[in-house]
Amino acid sequence: MSKKVAILPGDGIGTEVVAEAERVLARLNDKYTLGIETESALVGGHAYDEHGSPLPDSTLDLAKNADAILLGAVGGPKWEPLDYSVRPERALLGLRAELDLYANLRPAKIYPALVSASSLKREVVEGIDIMVVRELVGGIYFGEPKGVETLPDGTEKGVNSLVYTTPEIERIAKVAFDVARKRGKKVCSVDKANVLESTELWRRVVTLMHKDHEEIELSHMYVDNCAMQLIRWPKQFDVIVTTNLFGDILSDAAAMLTGSIGMLPSASLSGNKGMFEPVHGSAPDIAGQNKANPIATILSVAMMLQYTFGAMSAAGEVERAVSEVLEQGYRTPDIHTEGMNLIGTKEMGDKIIEAIG
Ligand code: IPM
Ligand code: MG
């Protein structure tokens, strides 16, 4: 049975980091005879320029027919003046919704070699290993009613709705408990149940779901407190499960604890099928300069091998190779500290492939 991966590099540094990740995937495909076939397509701003849509039907079809999708990043200043409906970001939201990729896993793990690259003190970040499980196809990102309307007096009204139903909460809570079982066995569910009714429901449903997962320790936290606790003492967290918007914000904060958002991969899953992408964006300021850190995308390949293809040895190999290269002192600009060996995107790809052997 063939295994298909759709490669969607996107815009900005997306194309550069995906090129390196693709090389890593090709190397592993050979070494472990994985039998993976790849096919690329345009997405985001480049797709808009070519086809008038950030998510052309051909790209969506390719994504739907693939077992996994490797995505770079979308967006850039060139496309900011465009109408909301055709902005590059719509492609991401479209892929998530069309493929029902409801479970977004964003690990924030610090590599020992990078502890000094974090903006927080060594004792605060050393050893952190957090998994943010973000609900990805519901909540305020998709809730109805939404939009901007002009009122009779000429003023405007903007509306977005935070909507969650019981099944939506149940399925993401289940993912969080399942993920926690293979890790530190702790889940912290983050909401704003003191103010928002829909997250009061969230809290109730997560608590009910916990009855089937009592070997996992469950706690609840308001999102403002969680933002503070992530910076005060991040080691208290194992798995954080939360809504779409809160997860968007908290995963950026968690990412930065590790020194650079350029290090963090993510998986957006619906069962085994998934889209794998770096947490960072298209970084137009450094695009095309061979400065981007490809590690987040390379580690996204590791997540793909693990979650979609169950190729645990190959996945472990990527993580080992990344650690090794960091231990050797090689750094892209975002994680560079004094005395380390500054290299570019391509060279980082080379080093990691060399370490895979
Ligand atoms: C992310 C991004 C996206 C989001 C944007 C680009 C639509 O910030 O994946 O975290 O808000 O989900
Ligand atoms: Mg975000």
Side-chain angles (χ1 to χ4, degrees):
M1 203 184 69
S2 87
K3 301 169 186 160
K4 268 194 103 171
V5 175
I7 309 259
L8 311 180
D11 309 316
I13 62 168
T15 53
E16 296 168 74
V17 293
V18 166
E20 299 316 307
E22 243 189 298
R23 290 207 291 142
V24 169
L25 180 60
R27 178 68 205 105
L28 293 162
N29 209 8
D30 264 9
K31 184 166 172 181
Y32 291 86
T33 37
L34 298 172
I36 290 174
E37 286 166 23
T38 62
E39 193 177 331
S40 304
L42 294 178
V43 73
H46 284 117
Y48 174 80
D49 289 346
E50 191 82 10
H51 303 283
S53 158
L55 182 59
D57 287 344
S58 52
T59 301
L60 183 58
D61 285 345
L62 178 70
K64 279 186 172 163
N65 292 323
D67 300 294
I69 300 146
L70 180 66
L71 189 131
V74 296
K78 178 177 175 196
W79 302 287
E80 265 161 30
L82 291 178
D83 186 75
Y84 244 66
S85 59
V86 287
R87 286 262 190 94
E89 290 77 7
R90 286 282 126 188
L92 263 188
L93 301 175
L95 282 164
R96 289 171 184 175
E98 289 283 336
L99 304 177
D100 196 29
L101 303 170
Y102 66 91
N104 185 210
L105 272 45
R106 298 188 162 184
K109 189 171 159 185
I110 199 156
Y111 284 82
L114 289 188
V115 169
S116 57
S118 174
S119 53
L120 297 188
K121 290 195 195 106
R122 170 174 287 272
E123 62 267 30
V124 175
V125 295
E126 206 159 40
I128 59 165
D129 183 359
I130 301 171
M131 180 70 90
V132 178
V133 177
R134 168 188 177 193
E135 198 292 323
L136 202 59
V137 295
I140 200 163
Y141 273 53
F142 295 95
E144 301 279 352
K146 66 156 123 187
V148 178
E149 61 175 295
T150 305
L151 300 175
D153 69 359
T155 59
E156 288 180 286
K157 183 170 92 170
V159 178
N160 288 95
S161 305
L162 173 49
V163 182
Y164 273 113
T165 60
T166 311
E168 286 178 298
I169 305 167
E170 283 172 351
R171 66 179 185 173
I172 194 72
K174 182 171 184 319
V175 170
F177 289 127
D178 289 344
V179 167
R181 190 168 305 111
K182 297 182 198 130
R183 301 172 34 103
K185 301 193 169 44
K186 285 199 316 188
V187 170
C188 178
S189 171
V190 174
D191 58 43
K192 189 72 185 173
N194 51 343
V195 179
L196 304 172
E197 285 84 351
S198 48
T199 71
E200 193 271 325
L201 174 67
W202 176 282
R203 184 176 289 220
R204 255 194 300 124
V205 174
V206 173
T207 306
L208 274 175
M209 288 293 292
H210 183 229
K211 296 206 186 318
D212 301 331
H213 304 271
E214 274 175 346
E215 71 286 12
I216 310 292
E217 184 188 318
L218 172 68
S219 60
H220 301 274
M221 206 178 263
Y222 296 138
V223 63
D224 47 350
N225 185 26
C226 182
M228 179 176 80
Q229 296 298 335
L230 269 175
I231 292 157
R232 190 186 73 86
W233 195 243
K235 278 184 254 188
Q236 67 187 282
F237 296 108
D238 174 27
V239 174
I240 291 175
V241 64
T242 191
T243 64
N244 203 341
L245 180 62
F246 295 164
D248 178 44
I249 300 166
L250 295 176
S251 62
D252 265 31
M256 203 53 219
L257 299 172
T258 69
S260 170
I261 198 166
M263 292 294 298
L264 297 187
S266 78
S268 305
L269 304 172
S270 182
N272 288 345
K273 177 155 182 153
M275 181 159 84
F276 301 84
E277 56 178 315
V279 169
H280 64 71
S282 60
D285 54 322
I286 58 161
Q289 299 170 39
N290 195 37
K291 281 186 182 162
N293 185 350
I295 294 181
T297 315
I298 291 171
L299 291 172
S300 300
V301 167
M303 288 188 93
M304 174 194 296
L305 294 170
Q306 180 185 345
Y307 288 98
T308 297
F309 300 116
M312 298 308 186
S313 319
E317 178 93 67
V318 180
E319 281 164 15
R320 186 197 52 73
V322 168
S323 294
E324 198 179 300
V325 169
L326 293 173
E327 294 296 337
Q328 288 164 358
Y330 294 106
R331 301 284 189 275
T332 42
D334 57 311
I335 49 173
H336 184 250
T337 47
E338 219 185 300
M340 295 294 140
N341 201 341
L342 184 64
I343 59 173
T345 312
K346 286 199 184 77
E347 294 69 33
M348 184 57 93
D350 289 342
K351 291 288 167 202
I352 292 170
I353 290 165
E354 227 172 82
I356 289 170

